[in-house]
Amino acid sequence: MSRLAAAAYSVPGGLVPDRLRVFLAAIPPERIAGVELAEFEMPGTAQAAIATILDIVGPLLPAGR
């Protein structure tokens, strides 16, 4: 499971990247109109954070995006 830095606040039971990935993978992509990820903070570089986000939502994006 990914290790996350604390956000400015926390939400009990909030989703971490591994759980969010599983959650989104269970929904047929054609049933998803949009996704908003807020308060996403990770230790490390911006490139690593972007790679994690793309890993989570990449399967929902049209091919070639």
Side-chain angles (χ1 to χ4, degrees), residues 2-63:
S2 299
R3 295 190 59 89
L4 302 176
Y9 62 91
S10 65
V11 177
L15 296 172
V16 295
D18 294 337
R19 290 187 199 150
L20 182 56
R21 186 180 307 107
V22 170
F23 175 78
L24 291 175
I27 304 170
E30 63 273 7
R31 303 276 305 170
I32 298 176
V35 175
E36 178 181 349
L37 300 176
E39 297 299 325
F40 185 84
E41 295 184 25
M42 286 194 67
T45 65
Q47 291 83 6
I50 291 168
T52 298
I53 292 169
L54 289 176
D55 181 56
I56 294 167
V57 300
L60 304 175
L61 300 174

